[in-house]
């Protein structure tokens, strides 16, 4: 499992990146969600790596 935390605002980022953040289940800064560690989730996190922080649980 991965703990994904939104650390930067999505204001001013590409619309595709906003949708990716929402698809991860994040809405507010400092909100975190637990996601399964699989290639699909890793790819989404890689796309918005400048907006989120990731910890392995």
């Amino acid at each position: 499992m991965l703990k994904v935390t939104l650390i930067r605002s999505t204001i001013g980022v590409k619309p595709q990146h906003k949708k990716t953040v929402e698809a991860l289940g994040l809405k507010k800064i400092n909100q975190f969600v637990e996601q399964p560690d699989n290639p699909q989730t890793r790819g989404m996190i890689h796309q918005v790596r400048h907006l989120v922080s990731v910890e392995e649980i």
Side-chain angles (χ1 to χ4, degrees):
M1 293 294 286
L2 299 172
K3 179 180 176 183
V4 184
T5 307
L6 184 63
I7 56 170
R8 302 215 28 211
S9 173
T10 56
I11 295 173
V13 300
K14 295 179 180 180
Q16 185 177 3
H17 290 187
K18 281 186 184 183
K19 289 180 182 179
T20 302
V21 169
E22 289 176 11
L24 285 168
L26 298 166
K27 296 178 182 174
K28 296 182 177 183
I29 295 177
N30 292 326
Q31 179 185 7
F32 67 90
V33 293
E34 292 183 3
Q35 294 284 345
D37 188 2
N38 57 39
Q40 293 83 9
T41 305
R42 289 279 183 171
M44 292 170 73
I45 291 169
H46 182 74
Q47 185 179 29
V48 293
R49 63 189 178 275
H50 58 288
L51 302 174
V52 299
S53 68
V54 181
E55 300 173 22
E56 290 190 21
I57 299 176

